[in-house]
Amino acid sequence: MTRLIQCLHISKGYPPADPVLQDINLDIFQGDFAFLLGKGGSGKSTFLKVLLGLEPPDQGHVLIEERDIAEIPPREIPFFRRQLGIVLQDSKLLMHRSVFRNVALPLEVAGSGEAFAQKRAFALLRMLGLEEKGALSCKCLSASERQRVAIARAVVNDPVILFADEPTGGLDAQEARRVMKLLEDVRVMGTTVILATHNASLPTAVPGSRVLVLHQGKITEQTAAE
Amino acid sequence: MLNDTLSRLIDRTRDALRFHLIPWLSTVIAVSLCFYLLAILSCLAATYRLSRPSWTAEDRATVYMHPDICRQVQEGLAEELRSRPEIRHVSLISQEDARRRTEALLGQWKGVLTGLGDTFFPPSLEVQFQPETLGSKNLDALITKIRQSPEVEDILYGRGQSRPMVEGTTAVEYLWWGGMGFAGAVALLMLFLSSRALILSGRDALEIYSLAGATDFYSQAPFYLAGIMQGCVGALLAVGLSVFSTAQFQTVLPPLLIPVVSLKAWQQLFLAVGLLSCGAVLGSAGTWLALKKSA
């Protein structure tokens, strides 16, 4: 199996003397569906931010495809981010823009032509059952629909890794299942998924996934979900 | 591809301005007033030196004679002066010429001359010196000698007369440059504040673009475009306002002052290009500062 992410002795705290993450060593392999499970305030979001390079660790290194992300020059960071998909709990959509334009955003910033962006975004919207809503403003969508649009935006440029921070937070059970099914489909298409959640029952929705329990700043348990 | 890029940039700028149109337009109007002040002061500064009376030039002197002097005496003195090596040119101005010139200068205001006798318009000689003699002791001695002539009432020697005037105009010009600097600084401050408000309201969008892998240039381009447009539209309004107002001034000012405010076609073009460039530069500088401050 190809190692995609390698965490070496990661520590991070606010301030550094009060660590949220303590000496974490972890490997994520290509094709993994990894749940990062922990209670609120356990450091899941901080760990995701460190993996994404949004926050530097106080100690240790994160290597993605054998490259230390701390050594990526600032001008290359946007190009590095284009290989990643990011879904946040509050979906972070441009509310006054149409669903289609939100989904096509990563293609737009990467300089893809309008015709290609349109084709790709509509294909994804069809897959998500949102093709009827492509022209609507995101303000008109339900919470679940917004989260699906956020996932579509995150995967529209075929990222190598998809990071999702509480993507089912605030959704009811049925909507959460729908979102999890979608993420499972994304993994099947070849994208590695790392999902942070406080919901301990969520890993059961994805057979064969890895569960990484974050407790008191350490990843204390690594089991495969049944 | 270029079309796509442009239309996306325009879309994003429109998105950024969506909820800020009224503050944005208010800033355009305020900036245009600053640019108008800048335009008026720069026009005055540019035309002031050009419109300075010729007798204040360092190589000129005007010899005023007694009003009752006859033409022959005036011509005799002119001949004597022409024979001097320090003098390049002498022309005679009669009392009628002096009155006519003054009336022409005052235009519709010439009524103020009514009732003034011929003594108010003495005959004179306009003298131009050889440039190489300027500042020499010979010339100073010559001026003193002319002044002592019984037929001469007074002499306005450009070099002597113009120095205090030049010092005065320099002080006024400093004031104008200061005013122009102030107007420019106020315009920059307003553009900065407007851009900052726009950036703060679009901070979420900036974060989303950044997470989607947009370069700084891509994310910030709409703010730069909005700032540059603000500066340029303000500058265009100021150009229109200054051309209109100088035209209006000319209808009420005496001809003496018209050269100070009138703008030739090339000056108007220069003003338009200058203000537009100024608008674009201040607009982008204001946005750059606002982005630095918001980073």
Side-chain angles (χ1 to χ4, degrees):
Chain A
M1 284 173 91
T2 311
R3 188 168 53 197
L4 208 56
I5 302 176
Q6 190 177 13
C7 298
L8 299 169
H9 306 289
I10 298 292
S11 292
K12 175 81 183 171
Y14 305 99
D18 183 16
V20 180
L21 307 174
Q22 293 182 52
D23 196 29
I24 291 178
N25 290 289
L26 178 70
D27 289 337
I28 304 277
F29 298 95
Q30 195 168 24
D32 272 359
F33 196 121
F35 284 94
L36 190 61
L37 199 60
K39 292 178 183 165
S42 61
K44 302 183 298 292
S45 298
T46 302
F47 188 49
L48 279 190
K49 282 179 184 168
V50 170
L51 292 182
L52 281 164
L54 296 176
E55 290 201 16
D58 298 330
Q59 283 174 20
H61 301 274
V62 177
L63 278 66
I64 293 185
E65 292 180 317
E66 306 299 329
R67 188 178 187 191
D68 189 341
I69 60 171
E71 288 173 7
I72 299 174
R75 66 173 184 284
E76 285 182 26
I77 287 173
F79 303 97
F80 161 71
R81 293 221 177 113
R82 288 175 197 176
Q83 300 173 40
L84 312 175
I86 302 164
V87 182
L88 301 173
Q89 186 177 351
D90 61 353
S91 71
K92 291 269 184 201
L93 298 176
L94 297 168
M95 288 300 170
H96 50 272
R97 276 198 167 197
S98 69
V99 169
F100 161 72
R101 293 222 76 88
N102 268 281
V103 173
L105 187 71
L107 298 173
E108 190 182 300
V109 303
S112 301
E114 188 73 16
F116 174 75
Q118 220 162 33
K119 195 175 155 189
R120 178 85 180 118
F122 273 120
L124 266 172
L125 287 175
R126 196 174 303 116
M127 205 174 96
L128 296 173
L130 288 170
E131 71 269 32
E132 300 290 320
K133 303 204 168 179
L136 291 181
S137 154
C138 285
K139 280 185 286 193
C140 309
L141 302 181
S142 68
S144 161
E145 286 170 336
R146 284 179 190 178
Q147 206 56 282
R148 278 147 64 197
V149 171
I151 293 169
R153 185 183 63 192
V155 299
V156 73
N157 55 350
D158 293 324
V160 179
I161 312 166
L162 176 67
F163 293 90
D165 190 5
E166 299 279 9
T168 57
L171 302 183
D172 62 32
Q174 194 184 349
E175 286 173 335
R177 269 199 301 278
R178 197 165 184 179
V179 167
M180 288 312 298
K181 172 75 176 66
L182 182 61
L183 291 171
E184 168 84 42
D185 291 345
V186 169
R187 194 267 297 263
V188 169
M189 287 189 290
T191 298
T192 301
V193 180
I194 300 173
L195 189 151
T197 181
H198 67 281
N199 186 347
S201 66
L202 218 52
T204 56
V206 186
S209 58
R210 293 174 66 191
V211 180
L212 314 169
V213 180
L214 191 59
H215 181 65
Q216 292 183 337
K218 291 183 183 263
I219 289 183
T220 53
E221 189 185 343
Q222 298 187 26
T223 58
E226 294 302 321
Chain B
M1 185 65 91
L2 186 66
N3 249 355
D4 287 349
T5 309
L6 264 181
S7 68
R8 283 168 180 169
L9 175 62
I10 291 166
D11 272 356
R12 288 187 297 128
T13 309
R14 204 174 46 205
D15 283 350
L17 288 174
R18 185 179 294 259
F19 302 110
H20 266 266
L21 202 57
I22 291 174
W24 190 85
L25 285 174
S26 310
T27 306
V28 166
I29 291 167
V31 165
S32 74
L33 292 177
C34 286
F35 281 156
Y36 174 61
L37 181 64
L38 194 70
I40 292 296
L41 290 175
S42 57
C43 286
L44 287 173
T47 54
Y48 194 53
R49 276 171 192 259
L50 296 175
S51 58
R52 192 182 292 161
S54 61
W55 58 264
T56 62
E58 289 206 343
D59 64 340
R60 304 291 173 94
T62 305
V63 180
Y64 291 102
M65 310 184 80
H66 290 295
D68 51 355
I69 215 88
C70 65
R71 181 82 180 174
Q72 285 78 5
V73 175
Q74 193 184 8
E75 282 174 355
L77 182 60
E79 275 309 309
E80 189 191 329
L81 292 177
R82 280 189 194 112
S83 65
R84 306 286 305 212
E86 299 92 342
I87 290 174
R88 190 176 184 181
H89 181 74
V90 179
S91 54
L92 278 71
I93 308 295
S94 66
Q95 285 176 303
E96 293 74 33
D97 290 339
R99 177 182 280 276
R100 218 172 17 251
R101 278 185 177 191
T102 312
E103 283 176 352
L105 276 173
L106 291 174
Q108 62 181 340
W109 300 72
K110 67 183 178 187
V112 298
L113 301 175
T114 309
L116 294 174
D118 284 347
T119 52
F120 194 78
F121 305 100
S124 59
L125 300 175
E126 283 187 355
V127 181
Q128 186 179 11
F129 302 108
Q130 297 289 1
E132 59 273 16
T133 62
L134 289 176
S136 72
K137 283 183 181 170
N138 283 351
L139 192 59
D140 290 341
L142 177 63
I143 297 293
T144 311
K145 193 179 169 192
I146 298 171
R147 187 169 276 135
Q148 285 166 350
S149 302
E151 59 269 35
V152 171
E153 192 169 86
D154 194 11
I155 177 165
L156 292 181
Y157 172 31
R159 191 177 163 78
Q161 295 294 324
S162 66
R163 183 155 297 150
M165 190 169 177
V166 167
E167 282 167 5
T169 56
T170 306
V172 171
E173 278 174 8
Y174 277 134
L175 206 64
W176 284 348
W177 286 112
M180 285 157 69
F182 177 73
V186 171
L188 178 65
L189 181 69
M190 282 188 291
L191 288 164
F192 161 73
L193 291 174
S194 174
S195 289
R196 187 148 159 73
L198 203 62
I199 290 161
L200 288 177
S201 75
R203 211 156 41 175
D204 272 357
L206 274 175
E207 190 188 344
I208 292 167
Y209 279 114
S210 167
L211 291 176
T215 57
D216 283 351
F217 176 77
Y218 186 90
S219 319
Q220 295 169 358
F223 299 111
Y224 275 109
L225 184 61
I228 290 170
M229 273 165 49
Q230 213 165 23
C232 288
V233 174
L236 273 179
L237 284 177
V239 170
L241 202 58
S242 46
V243 169
F244 174 76
S245 59
T246 49
Q248 289 300 308
F249 280 145
Q250 285 178 48
T251 61
V252 293
L253 284 178
L256 177 69
L257 295 175
I258 283 177
V260 182
V261 296
S262 75
L263 292 176
K264 295 180 182 68
W266 69 268
Q267 285 174 321
Q268 288 179 10
L269 184 70
F270 190 75
L271 181 74
V273 172
L275 278 185
L276 275 173
S277 315
C278 197
V281 169
L282 289 184
S284 42
T287 310
W288 180 77
L289 286 172
L291 283 165
K292 283 270 165 204
K293 188 84 180 160
S294 310

